[in-house]
Amino acid sequence: WLFASLMYAQQNVNYDESKVPSYVLPGLLQCENGKVVSTIEQWETQRRPELLELFTSQVYGCKPEGKIDVTYEILTENPGALNGKATGKQVKFTFSNGKKKTEAILLLYIPNKPAGKVPVFVGYNFKGNHSTTSDTTVLYSPVFHLVKEPDHPDWERGNQTSRWSYDKIIDRGYAVATMCYHDIYPDKPELRNHSIVSLFPDYNPDTIVPDEWQAIGAWAWGSSRIVDFLETQERIDSDKIAIMGHSRQGKAALWAGAQDDRFRIVISNDSGCGGAALFRREFGETIDIINKNFPHWFCKNFHQYNNREEILPVDQHQLIALIAPRKVYVASAEEDLWADPKGEFLSAYHAGPVYLLYGLTAIDSDKMPQLHKPIMGDIGYHIRAGKHDVTEYDWECYLDFADKHFKN
Ligand code: GTR
């Protein structure tokens, strides 16, 4: 992130609110044929599918037809994990098309108390399951060697524990399931052949068709496969699954939440451009910047909107609205200007009309709340002090939001 911001520091990155262009957001409730949706049924049968199709073909790409096999193997089970508070499991996922396979490892902690079914947070980690805890029995990601040199500091255990408030999550009665995102699509354009994308029929290592899915599409798909597994787990309440994603994984979490209604709460932490932020504000990271830095994240069609945000047929308030009537929470950090906190807030605000259609609550003012004053309706939002990161404060808000919607 720092690297990307520095790279563009000299160029045309706008951090000046007075230079945000005036823009008109594409309509949320107005169908392509001009008709304005006024009922849930019209939303669900007409406008929602239309928008989902546009995000698929123009932004995140299309999952190919055809299926691959997914199998699970429990590698370890420890009833005394996290100082006896949780049962820890590590589960190997094997993705296969019969000729070729890839592997991933899920790390799952389930609270030992209360007994019975518990809600769960699903979320990818960036630096391996081993980075989320100092527990030496936690296994390394099978593909980590492809993305990190053998002497890279990211091999160190526990280097991201501050992002994973396991004790707090478990103490509040939630399970948590994490996987290294590289296991699904190792995050470099040249590693496409090692991703799950390469297992699907019609995959061609030499070409990418305009609406073909890429890394974000694959990560979103992978989080749904985690849900498939969680549904087999007796202790997990599969009606209470939340997904939490940070930054590039916040983008993938919103896209997963838009497509898979088993995610009952969708949380975007500092997801920025291609996540919660409105493209049309062109504040901080833009379509042109993100496509140049990360050519393997979005579908090829999306590149035609570089520096032409005004002709993109969608904007991100519509992505958030696709999650309705399920609950959505957007979080920003004050110093994370690259991700455009105001743009993140405004898309949560402008998703409101669809929540209102369902008789739910929307954010009632287009003025951003103060720092550390979370909004906890059916759409949640907070902005906290500090940098681009996941902090204990963020987790406390997510747990409060989940308590409100899962426990009351
Ligand atoms: C940055 C990228 C952002 C965000 C971030 C992250 O380099 O420009 O869009 O995804 O990485 O994932 O931390």
Side-chain angles (χ1 to χ4, degrees), residues 297-352:
W297 281 6
F298 298 89
C299 75
K300 269 174 91 176
N301 272 338
F302 187 54
H303 293 233
Q304 64 188 303
Y305 304 106
N306 293 354
N307 295 316
R308 298 163 80 199
E309 355 314 85
E310 67 288 352
I311 63 160
L312 178 70
V314 291
D315 213 321
Q316 298 304 83
H317 62 306
Q318 297 170 320
L319 180 68
I320 291 176
L322 291 178
I323 295 163
R326 291 163 293 126
K327 314 306 172 200
V328 65
Y329 195 109
V330 173
S332 307
E334 186 187 22
E335 292 173 41
D336 187 16
L337 296 182
W338 184 245
D340 186 15
K342 185 164 181 191
E344 293 175 322
F345 169 75
L346 284 175
S347 66
Y349 170 74
H350 287 296

Side-chain angles (χ1 to χ4, degrees), residues 1 4 126 246-248 251 271 273 285 290 294 297 338 388:
W1 170 83
F126 283 63
H246 169 61
S247 202
R248 66 197 69 184
K251 311 179 206 301
S271 62
C273 180
E285 189 173 32
I290 205 165
F294 305 102
W297 281 6
W338 184 245
H388 186 72

Side-chain angles (χ1 to χ4, degrees), residues 352-380:
V354 174
Y355 280 77
L356 294 176
L357 200 60
Y358 280 97
L360 298 169
T361 61
I363 295 177
D364 59 12
S365 161
D366 64 359
K367 301 272 169 301
M368 287 179 80
Q370 289 172 352
L371 296 185
H372 310 123
K373 295 265 184 262
I375 297 171
M376 294 265 169
D378 293 309
I379 303 176

Side-chain angles (χ1 to χ4, degrees), residues 185-254:
Y185 193 126
D187 194 4
K188 291 188 176 172
E190 67 276 17
L191 295 177
R192 184 166 164 253
N193 274 329
H194 295 268
S195 74
I196 58 92
V197 163
S198 72
L199 302 173
F200 280 81
D202 299 335
Y203 170 72
N204 181 338
D206 303 318
T207 57
I208 301 174
V209 299
D211 69 348
E212 186 173 334
W213 67 345
Q214 298 237 64
I216 294 181
W219 294 323
W221 178 89
S223 50
S224 290
R225 305 293 69 78
I226 296 175
V227 173
D228 297 343
F229 169 75
L230 292 172
E231 288 181 332
T232 71
Q233 296 294 291
E234 209 184 299
R235 290 284 322 279
I236 299 293
D237 185 343
S238 40
D239 291 330
K240 294 182 177 164
I241 299 179
I243 181 169
M244 195 293 279
H246 169 61
S247 202
R248 66 197 69 184
Q249 289 314 324
K251 311 179 206 301
L254 290 172

Side-chain angles (χ1 to χ4, degrees), residues 145 148-152 155:
H145 64 280
K148 298 289 158 162
E149 299 292 314
D151 53 356
H152 194 282
W155 286 93

